[in-house]
Amino acid sequence: MAKPKQIINDPKYAVEEFVHGLLKQFPNNLVKLQNHNVLLKASRRSQVQLLSGGGSGHEPSHAGWVGEGMLTGAILGGIFASPSVVAILGAIRCAAGTDKSDAVLLIVKNYTGDRLNFGMACEKANLEGIDCQMVVVADDCALERSKGITGARGVAGTVLVHKIAGAAAAIGMSLSEVSDLAKVVCSRMGTMGVALNAVTVPGASEVNDRLDESTIEIGLGIHGEAGMKKSPMLTSDEIAKELLSKIESYGRE
């Protein structure tokens, strides 16, 4: 079986190297939270602060969305692994400020580990007197509603939530207003993707060849989870029709 081609040094240090690279590229814009792979805006005005994050391996998410009118900070887990509760709580404390005057909104993709860890950190923050809420993005239309809440994964639409909620926070909306707006966006958004190849995790010794040269997968998950279906190669028009038809029929409550 073929060995994967990857431009990488050592998978064990890939996340740390990514963080250090961003700090060198944007030394006046980003700072790192000590002892954690958390990147924050170097200067922040008082407003609702937005934090997001999750497993690494989906770059530029989430650190690439830190900036004016978007995220205050990003918490980076290992490759395809949720960040720890300790790291998330540290980011919340930093974003809220030493006097805990700024409210914090967590924007989280719908994966079990992220929901658990961000949810626990949110609860702990509120117990400390920090006004903190969480919004879960579940825009994926690849799996049927009958699969339950785990079926609607958080994927590409998360970036739109960052942008819209970030703009709302920047004009001075309250935490409840920004959170409510983000939930409306989530409820009216659907996305789907298509993959030409399966996911090969950095550091793997062999290429994941689950999809052969003539097969694509409609709705493949961002970690390689099964999608809606496998399909022979389609034209761009056929793929667009397939995706839009599914998104339109999926609907939103």
Side-chain angles (χ1 to χ4, degrees), residues 48-52 70-73 103-105 107 161-162 165-167 169 178:
V48 174
Q49 308 295 343
L50 306 186
L51 297 175
S52 190
M70 289 192 75
L71 296 180
T72 301
V104 179
L105 180 65
I107 300 173
V161 181
H162 292 165
V178 176

Side-chain angles (χ1 to χ4, degrees), residues 98-134:
T98 54
D99 58 357
K100 305 176 184 179
S101 59
D102 284 352
V104 179
L105 180 65
L106 306 177
I107 300 173
V108 183
K109 299 187 304 300
N110 190 31
Y111 297 97
T112 302
D114 289 344
R115 290 189 64 148
L116 287 173
N117 290 1
F118 277 86
M120 191 176 299
C122 183
E123 291 180 6
K124 287 178 176 289
N126 278 290
L127 289 174
E128 293 181 6
I130 299 171
D131 194 4
C132 185
Q133 293 186 26
M134 185 171 87

Side-chain angles (χ1 to χ4, degrees), residues 3 79 85 94 100 106 113 141 147 151 159 168 214 238 249:
K3 187 174 181 179
I79 295 172
V85 175
C94 189
K100 305 176 184 179
L106 306 177
C141 297
K147 294 282 185 180
V159 182
S214 61
E238 290 169 334
S249 64

Side-chain angles (χ1 to χ4, degrees), residues 16-32 39:
E16 287 82 355
E17 289 184 347
F18 172 62
V19 169
H20 291 155
L22 285 177
L23 290 171
K24 286 182 178 294
Q25 187 177 5
F26 303 105
N28 300 319
N29 302 98
L30 297 174
V31 294
K32 180 180 180 294
L39 288 171

Side-chain angles (χ1 to χ4, degrees), residues 209-220:
D209 61 356
R210 190 170 63 83
L211 298 178
D212 61 35
E213 294 181 357
S214 61
T215 304
I216 62 175
E217 186 154 1
I218 308 294
L220 183 76

